[in-house]
Every structure is written in structure tokens, then in C-alpha cells.
Amino acid sequence: MSDFGKVYLIGAGPGDPGLFTLRGKAILERADVVVYDRLVSPSILAFCNDKAQMVDVGKMPTHHKVKQSEINKLLVKFAKEMPSAVIARLKGGDPFVFGRGGEEALELVEAAVEFEVVPGVTSAISVPAYAGIPVSHRGIATSFHIITGHEKEEVRGSRPEEIKVESDAECHPEQTLQSISCHPEQAQRVEGSSIAGLDFPALAKCPGTLIFLMGISNMQMIARRLMECGKDPKTPLAFIEKGTTPYQRTVTCTLETAAETIVRENVTAPAITIMGGVVKLGDKLAWRKKLPLSGKRLVVTRAAKQASGISAKLTALGAEVIETPMIETRSVEPRVDTCHPERSTKCEVEGSSIANFADLANFDVLAFTSTNGVESFFEAFFKASLDIRALAGKKIASVGKITEKKLLERGLHCDFVPEDHTGEGLGKLLAKIAQSSNLEPGASTLLLQGNLADDTLTTLLPKATRWVVYETLPAKTLPDWKREAVAAADAVVFASSSAVENFAKVVQHGSVESHAELDSASASPCLEPQATCPAPRTCFSIGRMTTATAKKYGFEVVESDETTMDSLVKKIAEYYA
Ligand code: SAH
């Protein structure tokens, strides 16, 4: 085993989080550090765990950006300073397709740092697919070719200012592209330097589909050289901007009108250029822009576990969803909840005492009702310097399969898992097992739960002991990247009044604390200047109560016809139809 951390070069795909790989997601969820580029979409960053150190190395133009050589050094530095850490290097598309992943890997090898590559869905193929353009098609194109429109430049003495543009572009192609893409005369200045390596006669003869990445700033020259070398000026061509994101746009023209089209339509990076007969198929097959929520970015404020249902529904209708849970969980020193079954939150706080791990000996069954419970219990267990053998002989019960998997990761097989995966199912199962041994329900059973767990289990198992191992709290702050994503969203979706309250506190006013002043002043928050409300002003509400709270905070509210998630989703789709 290496003493260093391990680096994962992960392809984030073209933007749509649904195109991110399962392997990439699994690594992000446990990464200690995430070094990410500007092309990585916020909904993919949302997979990172809250404790991860987030390092943005691809700031927007005008901001300071990190050079490639510095990024290489940074990865080595993190690996060397953080033994056994998981360091995720997250890059747009695929890390080895014009992503400079190879250079980073070479540097890691040089420094004896272990690494893995997690391929991503490359924009070269997926972005055309989202525009309804197959890169190959029987009878039209039997091959496709992915070409860089911005090659690395060796130093040339005669044109220093152009070389500066090139080296910059190499670090962050987007930034240079964006800044000069609307000025063909500027693109002309770098003519012949940045793409000197391209074999235009061969490309012009090639009957397959040509796909250029990073090609917008040089397109005038690329198109001219291809035509000079014999490529048909009438070849269909498409620019696809910000593909697979809510802002995807396709602009079509022909090879001979490419340069003027870029200027007229203000095509900006990131965009790919695709040429060939297949482009015409996009007229019939452009499936994505027909989805009712295509082009919309929506903030979903439910707790992570509940959010996935509505998020999946909205995503299926074409929206990009930013999940912004308004609660977070925190492990606590386990305490005994002594007041059940008449438990109340107040009673729990006043009537609880710190749990003693020596008491574990009194229990035959440990019952877990969430993955949070598993994680928090073991955090405290190991903190108490206990060894896993302290659990020898205990029966382990889990509410369902996800919690069961978490326990298996700790080397523990579950003895009891109810069929219906609910607290009630677990309670009934454990009660039955106790009775079959002539024990009272819950005798010698320890429940490991959060502070907001309801009374289902303690009611069904009155003799059980409950330890509170984690707490659920309102989220206090949002990371910067998420704040930016929320600010750029079209609307927020609220399924409860408390979500509105927390959203107003956390997003609109920066933190829960700052909101206290606001309450006392009984001000109407969104009547304040826009700068203090960097959030959408439109929201969708599940019902009357939520609507009233949202109005209080200055939202323009669209209310669901019925108080169900399906009805809410339907309302959103109708609103944007
Ligand atoms: N490794 C990446 C490519 C990096 S080069 C991949 O495999 O996709 C950056 C170029 O990729 C951009 O200039 C643009 O041409 C293209 N690109 C990346 N994401 C894109 C997107 N969502 N829409 C359009 N083009 C994209």
C-alpha cells in the first residue's frame, strides 16, 4: 500500500448528470478532495460529499485560472500530503479525449502516485446525439473523426502575441474561444499557428463525419482550408453549443457559410462543430428540444433521499435539476433516549443521557434504520476505542437493502431484514422473533437511530432501548458553486413550508444566523435589493400552506392542483409548455 493518496482521473461527461458513470459517482461520493474544471456541471458536483475539499481550477474568464502545469503539481501535492485520501480529478467529457488527462497521469507516474482513470462520455459523440445527429449512419457516413480545432503550439519567435493566445488556450480552451469566437479577424491572426498540425488534404478527402472540438475560434480558417483541399462547400454543418445542458443550442449551415454563421448567431464555447450528411438527420431526430422542460434549470429543495423521486421525473422531462437539500445530518455522541414510547423532542433532550458502550453487552440485537445510523454508530464505536469483536455474537437487523449494504461494507451480515423495508416491517419482524423465544417485544434490542426518528419502532418494541446516534438539522450554508447554480436557475420547487423557510434563510440570506435579525425586523426579504436574493423569483409549490409561506418570502408562486408530487410535476410541465 502506498503512503500517498490515490488520484482518480474522472470523466464528468458533457453536462447532463444522467450521463455520468456509476463508477465516477461512487468515487465522488467518497472523495476527500475534488479538483474540477469549469466544464463540469453543478448537478455533477452535487454528487460530492459535503466534507470534500472543493478546488475549482477552471475559473471563468477574467478570474485567475490555474495553469495545467500547476494542476499537475497540485494533484501530486494533495496525494503526497494526504495518505490514503481519495483525490478526484474531475474533467469534462472523457479525460483522455483532448482533456490533457494523459499529461496529468504521466506526472502522477513520475511522482509514484497511484492513479486510476474513469472514462467519461465524450462530448464529441454525445452532444450530436442530444441534437438528434448520429455520428455514423448507414448509407451516409461509415466513419467519424474527432479532431481538435486548437492544437498545442510550439514557441515561434516571430509572433509572440499569438503564441500567448495559444498557450492560454491550451490551459483553458473555453476561455480563449469565448473571448475571440465572435471576432473572426482575431481568429485570423492565429491562423496557421494553432492548427498547423492538421492534415487538411486528408481531412477534405475523408468521406466520414468530421467532428471538431475547440474549433470555433479557428473555424473560418478550417472551413477555407477544407474547401481549398476539395471538400464540398455545400457540406451540411452544425454547431452545437452547451450540449446536453439546459442551454443546448444547435445552429446549422453549410461549410461555405460556417464563418459568417458563427458571427451572426454569436456561437460561443463550449461548442462542437460537426460536418457531413448526418447533420441533416438532426432535422427529423432532434428529440431533446421537444421535451417540455428542455432548457430549464430547477432547484429541488427536498432532503436528498426524498428528492431523487421528483428529480428523476423532472429530469425525464428535460430539466436540469439542482438538488439543494435544506437539511443535513451530523453524528453525535450516542445518547440513550429514555422517554419512549411517549417520547417527544423536548423529552428526548431533557431525558437523555450519554450512552455507555459497556452496555452493548446487554443487547442481543442491534437494529439499524438508516445508513446515517450505521455510519454514526461506527464513528462513535471506533472513537470509543472498541474493536469489532465487541459485536461478536450479536444479531444484526436492518430496515432495508441500502442499510444492509452499508453494514456489509463493515463486514457485518444482517440476520434480519423485513420484506417491506419499512420501520413498521422491521418492528413487526423483531417483535415476532422475540415472541417466538418467549421474550417481550424489544427485549435486549438496541435501536440505533436519528433524533427525528418517529415512534413506530419504540411502539412496536416497547422493551427496546434507543440510542440517538445522529441529528438532523436545517442546512446552514451552501457551498459557493451551488449558490452560483441556484442563482442561475429558472425556478425553485417547494414541497413544504419548512423547505421555503430554510431556503430563504440559507440561500437568500447566506446563513441561518443572519436570518434571525431579519425575523426581528419582520422585513419582507425579497423586497431587498436583488444582490441579497441571488435566487430565482419563481417557485412551484405543492399546496396551500407552502404557497402562503413562499408568498411571505416574495416568491411568485405557481401552485400544484393537488398535493401530490405527480401533480406538482404536471403543473411545472404545463407552466413551461
Ligand atoms: N474531454 C472533453 C473535451 C475537452 S476539449 C470531451 O471528451 O468531451 C473542450 C471542448 O469539448 C470544447 O471546446 C467543446 O468543443 C467540447 N465540449 C465539451 N463539452 C461540451 C458541451 N457540453 N457542448 C458542446 N461542446 C462541448
Side-chain angles (χ1 to χ4, degrees):
M1 265 265 309
S2 155
D3 286 341
F4 301 154
K6 181 163 175 178
V7 177
Y8 294 81
L9 302 173
I10 306 173
D16 181 345
L19 300 182
F20 190 39
T21 63
L22 291 175
R23 173 118 184 93
K25 180 169 174 272
I27 295 167
L28 273 199
E29 282 167 352
R30 62 191 172 91
D32 301 292
V33 181
V34 180
V35 179
Y36 63 97
D37 282 342
R38 189 162 75 82
L39 276 185
V40 176
S41 87
S43 31
I44 286 175
L45 294 179
F47 294 130
C48 302
N49 74 69
D50 293 343
K51 295 183 195 114
Q53 181 179 345
M54 305 296 289
V55 185
D56 178 356
V57 289
K59 288 266 183 201
M60 299 290 282
T62 75
H63 288 62
H64 173 72
K65 59 189 182 279
V66 186
K67 288 209 177 84
Q68 184 62 51
S69 55
E70 287 169 18
I71 297 173
N72 299 351
K73 286 199 195 97
L74 198 66
L75 295 177
V76 171
K77 183 170 167 288
F78 277 127
K80 292 201 164 168
E81 286 176 359
M82 300 173 72
S84 46
V86 172
I87 299 144
R89 170 68 179 116
L90 199 53
K91 306 164 83 68
D94 180 273
F96 280 3
V97 176
F98 303 128
R100 307 193 74 175
E103 293 167 49
E104 292 173 12
L106 283 171
E107 190 98 4
L108 295 169
V109 168
E110 188 77 9
V113 171
E114 224 186 313
F115 74 96
E116 265 185 40
V117 181
V118 181
V121 171
T122 181
S123 62
I125 297 170
S126 57
V127 167
Y130 266 50
I133 302 174
V135 291
S136 72
H137 193 84
R138 201 156 61 92
I140 301 180
T142 52
S143 68
F144 59 88
H145 309 265
I146 303 170
I147 307 143
T148 172
H150 223 133
E151 243 303 303
K152 188 169 182 172
E153 171 69 352
E154 297 305 323
V155 174
R156 292 169 192 220
S158 57
R159 299 163 83 176
E161 78 289 2
E162 294 161 10
I163 289 161
K164 189 160 168 280
V165 168
E166 284 314 300
S167 53
D168 215 7
E170 276 300 301
C171 282
H172 292 281
E174 305 321 314
Q175 298 173 353
T176 304
L177 293 187
Q178 215 160 33
S179 56
I180 67 176
S181 61
C182 315
H183 302 289
E185 68 286 359
Q186 263 179 296
Q188 185 71 41
R189 285 201 298 124
V190 295
E191 179 172 322
S193 59
S194 63
I195 44 175
L198 296 187
D199 182 348
F200 283 104
L203 287 174
K205 263 194 232 98
C206 179
T209 306
L210 301 186
I211 300 156
F212 286 87
L213 303 191
M214 302 181 281
I216 302 301
S217 62
N218 285 329
M219 195 42 64
Q220 183 182 30
M221 185 266 182
I222 292 170
R224 185 171 54 73
R225 293 285 292 124
L226 286 172
M227 287 186 287
E228 279 169 8
C229 294
K231 191 149 182 85
D232 182 356
K234 301 282 182 222
T235 305
L237 184 150
F239 300 110
I240 310 160
E241 216 178 61
K242 302 180 178 65
T244 82
T245 76
Y247 313 107
Q248 172 173 318
R249 179 172 72 131
T250 307
V251 177
T252 50
C253 56
T254 58
L255 186 56
E256 66 184 342
T257 58
E260 67 193 56
T261 304
I262 288 179
V263 179
R264 193 186 59 241
E265 298 290 334
N266 190 21
V267 177
T268 51
I272 71 151
T273 308
I274 179 163
M275 305 176 191
V278 289
V279 167
K280 284 270 163 222
L281 291 168
D283 295 344
K284 281 194 183 145
L285 305 182
W287 56 275
R288 192 161 196 254
K289 67 177 182 198
K290 297 203 178 104
L291 296 177
L293 297 182
S294 176
K296 301 294 169 226
R297 176 180 279 180
L298 301 172
V299 178
V300 168
T301 52
R302 303 199 86 197
K305 274 180 211 144
Q306 304 164 308
S308 47
I310 185 165
S311 297
K313 286 182 179 137
L314 294 171
T315 307
L317 294 176
E320 185 186 20
V321 173
I322 309 290
E323 285 186 0
T324 309
M326 285 297 133
I327 56 165
E328 58 194 25
T329 55
R330 188 179 68 182
S331 301
V332 292
E333 190 174 1
R335 50 178 198 259
V336 187
D337 180 3
T338 50
C339 294
H340 71 76
E342 299 82 23
R343 186 171 63 87
S344 69
T345 310
K346 187 165 165 277
C347 154
E348 183 208 312
V349 174
E350 287 172 4
S352 58
S353 60
I354 298 300
N356 184 350
F357 274 97
D359 292 345
L360 275 183
N362 305 332
F363 303 107
D364 296 328
V365 181
L366 303 188
F368 295 88
T369 54
S370 67
T371 53
N372 278 326
V374 177
E375 278 169 3
S376 305
F377 172 75
F378 281 100
E379 204 179 309
F381 180 84
F382 290 119
K383 224 188 221 163
S385 303
L386 285 171
D387 182 285
I388 195 78
R389 284 169 294 185
L391 303 183
K394 308 258 180 250
K395 299 282 187 204
I396 306 289
S398 156
V399 69
K401 290 222 175 306
I402 303 173
T403 306
E404 183 183 13
K405 200 167 148 233
K406 204 45 135 212
L407 285 157
L408 203 53
E409 284 169 18
R410 309 262 170 186
L412 291 169
H413 273 285
C414 284
D415 302 277
F416 312 124
V417 184
E419 261 169 32
D420 67 352
H421 302 168
T422 61
E424 191 182 348
L426 180 63
K428 285 184 177 160
L429 178 66
L430 293 181
K432 206 167 128 199
I433 289 164
Q435 276 155 4
S436 66
S437 314
N438 284 330
L439 293 170
E440 289 184 75
S444 70
T445 299
L446 178 60
L447 308 172
L448 297 147
Q449 297 190 288
N451 64 325
L452 297 186
D454 65 20
D455 292 334
T456 310
L457 277 174
T458 45
T459 308
L460 288 165
L461 304 168
K463 289 287 167 199
T465 301
R466 202 178 84 103
W467 285 7
V468 171
V469 289
Y470 69 92
E471 281 177 347
T472 303
L473 306 161
K476 279 220 162 71
T477 52
L478 280 186
D480 284 350
W481 64 265
K482 204 174 245 192
R483 198 175 287 281
E484 283 165 22
V486 167
D490 295 282
V492 195
V493 182
F494 290 121
S496 70
S497 278
S498 60
V500 182
E501 298 274 0
N502 276 329
F503 183 86
K505 291 172 194 169
V506 175
V507 177
Q508 298 180 325
H509 297 283
S511 72
V512 173
E513 282 75 20
S514 67
H515 193 250
E517 297 153 28
L518 214 112
D519 277 342
S520 58
S522 69
S524 176
C526 272
L527 297 179
E528 291 181 5
Q530 192 63 31
T532 59
C533 294
R537 299 180 76 84
T538 304
C539 82
F540 295 96
S541 147
I542 196 158
R544 217 161 30 86
M545 302 284 283
T546 308
T547 299
T549 314
K551 283 193 173 152
K552 191 175 98 191
Y553 284 99
F555 281 103
E556 286 161 22
V557 189
V558 181
E559 190 180 301
S560 171
D561 293 333
E562 291 165 35
T563 47
T564 65
M565 282 299 161
D566 283 341
S567 172
L568 182 58
V569 170
K570 190 161 160 259
K571 195 76 190 179
I572 298 170
E574 281 168 11
Y575 179 82
Y576 288 117

